[in-house]
Amino acid sequence: MSTLAVVAVPAGILFPEALLHAQWFAVLATFVAINTVMYAALALAKILPTVHPSDWIRNRNERSETRSIHPDGRPDGGS
């Protein structure tokens, strides 16, 4: 079975050179490139942790120190 496929396509699937220089092929290649960059950016944004800039800046309504009965953090070990 695989020998038959090798005989049928001895050099693999290659496009003729004239097809690679066609206008529609350039448009398609550009679309695929932009789409790939967009998906890579979205995947990278999904992997990285979420940034909350409001956590870095103290608000007027926040206390300077905790008034909890567990001053070192939550009793379950969380912060």
Side-chain angles (χ1 to χ4, degrees), residues 21 28 39 60 78:
H21 294 290
L28 180 64
Y39 273 98
R60 277 181 47 182

Side-chain angles (χ1 to χ4, degrees), residues 4-78:
L4 181 62
V6 170
V7 171
V9 186
I13 299 173
L14 298 176
F15 294 129
E17 188 175 344
L19 179 72
L20 297 178
H21 294 290
Q23 181 71 26
W24 68 268
F25 191 83
V27 171
L28 180 64
T30 303
F31 174 75
V32 170
I34 291 171
N35 198 17
T36 301
V37 169
M38 286 176 49
Y39 273 98
L42 289 173
L44 188 62
K46 192 76 171 181
I47 290 172
L48 294 176
T50 305
V51 176
H52 299 283
S54 62
D55 291 346
W56 302 334
I57 301 170
R58 181 171 298 276
N59 195 352
R60 277 181 47 182
N61 298 328
E62 290 184 22
R63 293 189 172 107
S64 61
E65 60 187 43
T66 179
R67 296 177 67 190
S68 172
I69 60 173
H70 304 286
D72 296 335
R74 294 184 188 164
D76 59 352

